[in-house]
Amino acid sequence: MKKYIMALDAGTTSNRCILFDHDGKICSVAQKEFTQYFPKPGWVEHDANEIWTTQLGVALSAMNKIGATAEDIAAIGIANQRETTIVWDRATGEPIMNAIVWQCRRTAPMVEAIASDPATAAEITARTGLVPDAYFSASKLAWILGEVPGARARAEAGELCFGTVDSWLIWKLTDGAVHATDVTNASRTMLYNIHERRWDPFLLKLFGIPEAILPEVRPSSGSFGITANP
């Protein structure tokens, strides 16, 4: 009989794992901080591989504390920092640069330029429900595709994946079998039309984002795959 629900809490400064029993009682908790990078004033980055290794590490630690095995885990849920942007190689699973964290302001001039046209700013808000800001993923992804050599051509060819931290962890947990996100994370990218519930062609063109790089959007409580980890 499956005994536990595993909750993975992928935060901004640390990762945590909590195991709950059938009655919702906390049975085990493990947490570990990971490195914050500040390459320039106002810039914030994370090592996506370190996010994964620390998340996997605390999952194993939480299980070991109570002698749980993979067979004891009924399901895994993810709570994550939202707008943080990761781009990785679809074939190797390796990130093409550090994750750009939601706090990072490097793309503020880009968004200010786009939103300087009131009609465009209003259109973004009408489609996404968001006020245009560098906080969201769209401009971060556009920056990566524009600044990392060859990234845009590789994205257009379907060789790269974009995701927020949930997509990255799902990809790693399923050994690259699933490239997906949920509606709530998609709605924080500033690329998702909340009325039509799809990636918005107007916004993709506005930010220069090839649709081939984007994850499939699934219901928040839907099934996202089967994992052999941990």
Side-chain angles (χ1 to χ4, degrees):
M1 178 180 174
K2 303 290 187 180
K3 300 178 181 179
Y4 305 107
I5 297 293
M6 176 180 284
L8 301 180
D9 180 7
T12 302
T13 59
S14 69
N15 283 327
R16 179 167 54 172
C17 176
I18 307 173
L19 295 180
F20 296 90
D21 67 12
H22 184 271
D23 297 321
K25 177 185 175 183
I26 293 176
C27 300
S28 182
V29 179
Q31 185 170 359
K32 186 175 182 180
E33 293 185 353
F34 51 83
T35 310
Q36 309 292 306
Y37 296 94
F38 306 98
K40 293 183 181 181
W43 292 31
V44 190
E45 297 180 356
H46 292 157
D47 179 340
N49 281 324
E50 188 182 6
I51 290 175
W52 163 242
T53 57
T54 54
Q55 188 69 84
L56 179 61
V58 294
L60 293 170
S61 178
M63 292 168 66
N64 290 339
K65 285 182 178 182
I66 56 174
T69 66
E71 288 70 31
D72 294 322
I73 308 300
I76 302 172
I78 298 173
N80 61 287
Q81 51 164 314
R82 294 274 173 162
E83 300 79 7
T84 294
T85 299
I86 304 170
V87 177
W88 64 94
D89 185 295
R90 192 178 295 275
T92 67
E94 282 298 307
I96 66 170
M97 64 165 286
N98 278 347
I100 300 181
V101 181
W102 59 270
Q103 300 157 306
C104 187
R105 301 304 298 174
R106 75 184 66 186
T107 61
M110 180 195 304
V111 177
E112 289 168 4
I114 290 172
S116 64
D117 175 9
T120 300
E123 197 65 39
I124 292 172
T125 300
R127 292 166 185 259
T128 67
L130 305 174
V131 176
D133 199 286
Y135 179 83
F136 305 110
S137 308
S139 62
K140 303 179 194 301
L141 177 53
W143 189 94
I144 292 172
L145 296 182
E147 294 296 324
V148 176
R152 184 172 302 282
R154 296 184 64 204
E156 291 171 350
E159 297 175 5
L160 300 179
C161 295
F162 152 75
T164 44
V165 173
D166 63 313
S167 296
W168 172 241
L169 293 179
I170 291 167
W171 175 274
K172 299 297 283 187
L173 285 165
T174 61
D175 293 325
V178 179
H179 181 210
T181 189
D182 84 314
V183 173
T184 67
N185 278 283
S187 69
R188 302 295 289 177
T189 61
M190 212 162 67
L191 295 170
Y192 188 72
N193 190 309
I194 61 173
H195 309 289
E196 300 177 2
R197 297 195 177 186
R198 62 168 182 156
W199 299 115
D200 190 282
F202 170 82
L203 298 174
L204 298 183
K205 183 177 181 180
L206 182 65
F207 286 96
I209 308 298
E211 190 165 5
I213 199 173
L214 301 174
E216 177 188 355
V217 182
R218 300 184 183 180
S220 299
S221 58
S223 174
F224 284 81
I226 304 296
T227 179
N229 295 307

